[in-house]
Amino acid sequence: MPPQTVPPPSPSSAAPAPSAEAGSEALPRIVPVRRTGRWTAAVAVLVLLGLALDSVVRNDAFQWDVVLSYFATVPVLRGLWLTLWLTAVVMVLGFALGALLAVLRLSGNPVLQAVSWGYVWLFRSTPILVQLLFWFNIGALYPQILGVSTTRLLGPVAVAVVGLTLHEAAYAAEVVRGGILSVERGQVEAAQSLGLGPWRRFRRIVLPQAMRSIVPPAGNMLIGTLKGTSIVSIIAVQDLLYSVQLVYHRTYQVIPLLLVATVWYAAVTTLLSIGQRYVERHYARGTAGAR
């Protein structure tokens, strides 16, 4: 007998297809991760910050009414203006001298390299307070310079400018040198192949790329210089801190007057930080780190 063939099952006899409800029940359910520790820590920090803020605002010992009464007085604003002026002058002169020192350090002349290195080593190794006191007493070593009395030539403000500038230049030199070294050598070689002169290479190729590395530490130096000018009060320069000291020596309201200086320093530092952010974004255009 010929073998019998079994007909294929009809569609009606096939196994029923799983319903949509059955398929949805078969898929695993996605459950978000519970970050209990993160939220607990956040709540704890907010509670502590709230308690600290409440203690500052409601503590009568801070004398906030006295702070408001002295915040915009003429002596305080005059001291603030001198602080801002001193910061601007020191930063400009310090970076001008620092850029020169950086160029000397990168030159091929071993004598110029040694002089630049020695300057940076000396002024970074000596505390700024010692430097200011040294310049303040320079008349003990040189009573006259070019026939002019050093006591007339170097008053307290001039001593502050000279001391802070020489100190700032040592750090600015390393910032500028690091920025120049951050530019790839191939960029300079490509500019040379195009026939660009040394000045045009530096201005059009090296400097714009180096600024991406120079601006962040330079901004930090600016903020540090603003706060560091308070040290000139030791030589009786009437900056912001010295101005409030003169007031509380007369009124004996030490805490509120120190708060006046603190709030002004915080306000100016905040504005400088915002400006630094925009300058960084300007020089970071076209890079992956631009935000």
Side-chain angles (χ1 to χ4, degrees), residues 229-237 239 241-242 245:
T229 54
S230 60
I231 201 171
V232 300
S233 61
I234 197 68
I235 56 174
V237 176
D239 67 321
L241 180 60
Y242 192 78
Q245 285 177 336

Side-chain angles (χ1 to χ4, degrees), residues 3 17 81 187:
W81 166 250
Q187 299 284 332

Side-chain angles (χ1 to χ4, degrees), residues 77-250:
L77 294 180
R78 189 182 296 117
L80 175 64
W81 166 250
L82 182 58
T83 294
L84 296 176
W85 177 85
L86 193 60
T87 302
V89 171
V90 168
M91 283 298 295
V92 172
L93 297 180
F95 263 87
L97 180 57
L100 176 61
L101 291 170
V103 172
L104 296 181
R105 184 76 178 274
L106 296 174
S107 68
N109 190 321
V111 176
L112 298 181
Q113 289 180 358
V115 170
S116 176
W117 180 88
Y119 179 97
V120 173
W121 169 80
L122 176 64
F123 283 91
R124 290 203 306 177
S125 303
T126 312
I128 180 59
L129 179 58
V130 175
Q131 296 178 33
L132 285 177
L133 293 176
F134 176 83
W135 290 110
F136 191 71
N137 295 280
I138 192 66
L141 295 176
Y142 300 98
Q144 290 186 348
I145 297 178
L146 299 178
V148 181
S149 174
T150 53
T151 57
R152 296 181 179 179
L153 184 64
L154 294 177
V157 176
V159 168
V161 172
V162 171
L164 293 176
T165 297
L166 296 178
H167 178 79
E168 196 81 5
Y171 291 89
E174 293 300 285
V175 170
V176 175
R177 185 174 71 91
I180 294 176
L181 292 177
S182 68
V183 181
E184 296 183 2
R185 180 63 185 172
Q187 299 284 332
V188 180
E189 294 176 351
Q192 289 176 337
S193 65
L194 294 176
L196 297 179
W199 170 243
R200 292 190 65 188
R201 287 200 305 268
F202 179 78
R203 183 171 60 90
R204 301 297 297 273
I205 305 299
V206 176
L207 186 59
Q209 298 183 66
M211 288 298 291
R212 291 200 296 266
S213 300
I214 293 175
V215 169
N220 293 334
M221 287 181 60
L222 174 61
I223 294 174
T225 301
L226 172 71
K227 297 182 295 183
T229 54
S230 60
I231 201 171
V232 300
S233 61
I234 197 68
I235 56 174
V237 176
Q238 295 190 14
D239 67 321
L240 178 58
L241 180 60
Y242 192 78
S243 298
V244 300
Q245 285 177 336
L246 291 179
V247 176
Y248 72 61
H249 285 158
R250 186 179 68 253

